[in-house]
Amino acid sequence: MTQAPATAKATRRQHDREIVSLAVPAFGALVAEPLFVMVDSAIVGHLGTAQLAGLGIASALLMTAVSVFVFLAYATTAAVARRVGAGDLPAAIRQGMDGIWLALLLGAAVIAVVLPAAPALVEAFGASDTAAPYAITYLRISALGIPAMLVVLAATGVLRGLQDTRTPLYVAISGFVANALFNVGLVYGAGLGIAGSAWGTVVAQCGMAVVYLVVVVRGARRHGASLRPDSAGIRASAQAGVPLLVRTLSLRAVLMIATAVAARLGDADIAAHQIILSLWSLLAFALDAIAIAGQAIIGRCLGAGDAQGARAACRRMVEWGIAVGVALGVLVVVSRPLFLPLFSSDPIVKDTALPALLVVALSQPICGVVFVLDGVLMGAGDGPYLAWAMVLTLAVFAPVAVLVPVLGGGLTALWGAMTLMMATRWLTLWLRARSGRWVVIGATR
C-alpha cells in the first residue's frame, strides 16, 4: 500500500524538520573544530617563521593521530541512537559510557607512543633544524590533551545518538573562545611562546571534555545507568569501531596519494591543489552535517523497529544531499573570482586551479549523495560494508591517480581522478542502500 499524498507530504515535512534541527547545529560544531588550529596559527605566526613551521608540523601529526579515531563518534552515535529508538535510555547512556571509557584507554595509549617518539615523528616529516625544536615542544605538550580530544569525540557521539546536536555546538563555540583567550594569555601575557599555545589548547580541550562528562554523567544518574567501566561493553565498542577505522585510514590514504601526486606535478600545481583541497574540505563539512543527521535518525528508526521509516528517511536525506550538492556546486562557480585571489596572487596558480575548481563544482551532487549514504549506513551500524567499499575505492583510485603525471595529465586530471573516487563510492553505497541489507531492526545490530 502506498502512502496518500497528504500523508507522504506530512512525512517529508517531518523528516525535513528533523534533518534541519540536527544538521544545522552539527555543521556549526564541525566548522568550529578546524578553527582551533587556525587560531593557534594566527597567534604563533607572530612569534616567527620557525615557530609557525613547527606548529604546522606538530598540528598535522596531532590531527592525524586524532582523526583516525573519529570512529569513536560515528560508532557511538549509531549504537546510542538504536537504544534510544528502542526506548531504553539507560542502556543508551551505558553504551555511550563504554565509548567514553574506550576513548580514555586509546588516549592513554597514544600519549605513551607520542611522547617518546616525538623527535622521530618530527624528523620523519622533514622539519628543518630551526623548526624541529618548536615542533617537538608543541607536539609533546599538546599530546597530553589527546585523551580529552578523544573523550570529546565519543561524548559528541553520545549526544548525537540522543538526538542532541545543539549541546556539541555550544561546547565547540565555548571551546573555541577559551582556546583563543588561553593562547593569547599564555603565549604573550605569560611569555611562554609556542609552549603557551600548546598548553592553551590542552586546557581548552580538557575543559570541553569536562563539560561533556558532566552532561553525560547527569544523564546517567537521571536514568540510573552505571558509570563503571564494563570490559564487555568496551570490547564491543572497539569491535564496532574497527571497520570504521579501516574506512577512515583508506580515505586518509586517498588524500595523501592525491597530495603526493600533486607535488610531483610542480610547485604551481601543489599550491593550487592545497587551495582546492581546503575548499573541498569546507564543502565536506556542510555535507557531513546531513550525514550526522542521518546517523542519528536512521539509528533511532531501526532501534524502534521502524524499517519503513528508516527507508523513507534515507530517501529524503538523499534528496537533501543532491539539493545541497547542487547549491554548493553553483556557489563554487559563482564565487570562484572572489575565492582564488584570497589564497594566491600568482596568476599561474590561479590559472592552474580554475579548471580543477570547476571539476570540484560539478562533482558536488555526487558528493552529496555519498556523504548522506555514508551517514545512513553508519547509522545502521553497517561498518564492515563501509570498510570493504572504501578499500575497493582506494584500489580503484590509487593506480588512476599515479598514472596522471605518467600520462602527462595536470591538476585537472588529478581532480578528475578524485571525482572518479567519489563516483566509485557513490556506486558502492548506492548498491548497498538499494539492496536493503542495511535495514536490520532492533536495539542492537
Side-chain angles (χ1 to χ4, degrees):
M1 179 181 292
T2 58
Q3 286 183 312
T7 304
K9 188 174 181 180
T11 301
R12 285 197 299 272
R13 285 179 177 175
Q14 180 183 352
H15 287 316
D16 291 345
R17 285 194 296 269
E18 278 196 304
I19 293 168
V20 171
S21 66
L22 291 170
V24 172
F27 173 70
L30 289 169
V31 171
E33 292 173 9
L35 292 179
F36 272 75
V37 177
M38 290 180 63
V39 167
D40 288 2
S41 299
I43 294 172
V44 171
H46 292 286
L47 295 175
T49 301
Q51 288 90 332
L52 183 58
L55 172 66
I57 293 169
S59 295
L61 287 165
L62 186 68
M63 290 301 101
T64 298
V66 173
S67 65
V68 297
F69 297 115
V70 73
F71 69 83
L72 288 167
Y74 294 158
T76 304
T77 297
V80 171
R82 275 185 175 269
R83 300 281 189 178
V84 169
D88 192 349
L89 285 178
I93 296 175
R94 173 67 264 177
Q95 190 91 44
M97 284 304 305
D98 292 335
I100 291 173
W101 281 112
L102 176 62
L104 288 169
L105 292 174
L106 291 173
V110 173
I111 287 179
V113 172
V114 171
L115 288 183
L121 291 171
V122 169
E123 183 180 357
F125 252 62
S128 66
D129 292 339
T130 55
Y134 296 112
I136 294 170
T137 297
Y138 189 93
L139 182 59
R140 278 181 165 160
I141 295 173
S142 59
L144 299 176
I146 287 178
M149 295 180 191
L150 299 189
V151 166
V152 167
L153 284 177
T156 299
V158 176
L159 295 181
R160 288 174 180 170
L162 294 171
Q163 318 296 296
D164 177 10
T165 56
R166 291 184 179 274
T167 299
L169 172 61
Y170 300 147
V171 175
I173 293 174
S174 300
F176 167 72
V177 173
N179 178 63
L181 294 176
F182 281 125
N183 267 263
V184 172
L186 294 175
V187 171
Y188 297 113
L192 297 180
I194 194 170
S197 176
W199 280 118
T201 300
V202 169
V203 173
Q205 291 286 354
C206 288
M208 292 170 66
V210 168
V211 172
Y212 273 120
L213 289 175
V214 169
V215 172
V216 174
V217 168
R218 283 180 177 175
R221 289 177 174 171
R222 188 182 312 120
H223 297 286
S226 174
L227 298 173
R228 295 180 180 179
D230 176 62
S231 58
I234 295 172
R235 191 162 51 250
S237 294
Q239 289 172 348
V242 169
L244 296 180
L245 175 61
V246 172
R247 167 201 167 274
T248 300
L249 290 174
S250 299
L251 181 57
R252 297 288 299 184
V254 165
L255 299 178
M256 289 175 65
I257 290 171
T259 300
V261 170
R264 293 182 61 187
L265 296 175
D267 290 346
D269 293 88
I270 186 60
H273 175 74
Q274 289 303 114
I275 294 171
I276 295 171
L277 187 61
S278 65
L279 174 64
W280 191 80
S281 300
L282 179 61
L283 298 175
F285 283 132
L287 297 172
D288 202 29
I290 305 174
I292 288 170
Q295 293 171 32
I297 294 171
I298 295 298
R300 190 198 66 222
C301 288
L302 295 178
D306 186 5
Q308 182 179 352
R311 290 189 181 94
C314 175
R315 287 193 297 271
R316 189 56 178 163
M317 280 183 283
V318 167
E319 293 171 358
W320 269 82
I322 294 172
V324 174
V326 170
L328 291 176
V330 171
L331 182 62
V332 169
V333 173
V334 172
S335 64
R336 70 189 188 281
L338 300 175
F339 174 76
L340 290 175
L342 290 176
F343 290 86
S344 178
S345 58
D346 187 337
I348 298 177
V349 172
K350 290 190 286 187
D351 289 344
T352 302
L354 182 58
L357 199 62
L358 295 177
V359 173
V360 170
L362 291 173
S363 69
Q364 287 309 296
I366 297 174
C367 294
V369 176
V370 167
F371 275 83
V372 166
L373 291 181
D374 209 36
V376 166
L377 297 184
M378 282 184 190
D382 206 8
Y385 182 85
L386 289 171
W388 172 87
M390 197 61 229
V391 170
L392 174 63
T393 300
L394 174 60
V396 171
F397 169 77
V400 175
V402 170
L403 283 173
V404 167
V406 174
L407 298 177
L411 188 65
T412 303
L414 176 60
W415 275 94
M418 288 287 286
T419 301
L420 173 64
M421 179 272 294
M422 294 303 293
T424 304
R425 292 186 69 190
W426 170 83
L427 179 61
T428 57
L429 297 176
W430 176 78
L431 288 174
R432 186 64 167 183
R434 187 169 178 265
S435 73
R437 293 178 183 175
W438 57 277
V439 183
V440 179
I441 60 174
T444 58
R445 184 177 173 87

